[in-house]
């Protein structure tokens, strides 16, 4: 399946680079960290057989725009979710299915809450909502998420530290989070590292937002009782067993009807177990 690449303005002088293929009901796939849209290469090719598939690089990542963030709002998941809705509309899709992995899953989560009339089906892979994520990290076990704390610091130090050894920093996560290193071949790994190396300030801004404005938005939705009522699927590694929380219960507080399942592959599940992820997405789209 050949994908066509386009740059689509989404507002605020920001454009997203997106790979597009197929025809039929639209599905938008959002990548995670430290990756680009290429993480969906196997799943997207399968879905494009009978769907219009849009695979953008998120704001701040890959070949998409990387605006400065002077007020701390530019990488709020609310802003990034609005990018995705604008992208779909640019292709004529007022309603679309949405799947996200890692950082992309947080954007997808926010899109589902902010734009429920636009998101028909929602899948989130290997993440917790931001508010819950901070709540479950305790004591020495929180060391697994050291990058969250590093990039939550005020502008300056995190960017300098990561920028001093970007390949070692981003490569650490590619190495530690994959159970099957062969799933990310050398050429793809090099693409991820080059893209991340060129985007240190915007990647840090994305994470910093998750310690500030994103928490505020999640807290406001929780207080208001807002929930996800479209069909929802959540797939995760069994982090709950490792860190001492009930992942399914946390998710069902936000999406009472969600299908929640654990996987045995590593974090990069769309690359490590693409058939499993494709099956789960097709099951979701059939609901």
């Amino acid at each position: 399946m050949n994908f066509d690449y386009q740059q689509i303005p989404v507002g605020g002088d920001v454009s997203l680079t997106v790979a597009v293929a197929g025809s039929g009901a639209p599905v938008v796939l959002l990548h995670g960290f430290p990756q680009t849209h290429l993480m969906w290469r196997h799943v997207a090719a399968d879905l494009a057989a009978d769907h219009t598939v849009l695979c953008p690089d998120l704001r701040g990542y890959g070949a998409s725009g990387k605006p400065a963030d002077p007020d701390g709002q530019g990488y709020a998941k609310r802003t990034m979710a609005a990018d995705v809705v604008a992208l779909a509309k640019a292709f004529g899709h007022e309603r679309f299915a949405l799947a996200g992995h890692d950082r992309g899953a947080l954007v997808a989560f926010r899109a589902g809450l902010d734009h429920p009339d636009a998101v028909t089906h929602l899948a989130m892979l290997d993440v917790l909502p931001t508010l819950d994520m901070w709540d479950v990290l305790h004591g020495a076990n929180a060391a697994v998420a050291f990058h969250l704390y590093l990039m939550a610091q005020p502008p300056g130090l995190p960017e300098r530290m990561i920028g001093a050894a970007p390949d070692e920093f981003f490569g650490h996560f590619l190495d530690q989070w994959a159970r099957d290193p062969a799933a990310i071949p050398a050429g793809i790994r090099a693409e991820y590292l080059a893209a991340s190396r060129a985007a240190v300030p915007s990647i840090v801004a994305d994470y910093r937002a998750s310690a500030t404005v994103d928490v505020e938005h999640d807290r406001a939705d929780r207080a208001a009782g807002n929930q996800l009522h479209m069909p929802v699927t959540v797939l995760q590694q069994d982090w709950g067993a490792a860190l001492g929380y009930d992942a399914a219960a946390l998710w069902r507080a936000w999406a009472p009807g969600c299908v929640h399942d654990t996987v045995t592959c590593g974090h990069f599940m769309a690359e490590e177990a693409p058939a499993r992820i494709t099956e789960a997405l097709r099951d979701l789209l059939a609901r």
Side-chain angles (χ1 to χ4, degrees), residues 125-141:
L125 309 184
D126 219 27
V127 78
L128 286 176
T130 299
L131 190 58
D132 298 299
M133 173 191 71
W134 290 114
D135 285 346
V136 304
L137 294 174
H138 301 291
N141 285 337

Side-chain angles (χ1 to χ4, degrees), residues 48-66:
D50 48 8
H51 291 275
T52 300
V53 179
L54 307 176
C55 293
D57 284 338
L58 294 167
R59 169 189 293 241
Y61 289 80
S64 288
K66 302 173 183 63

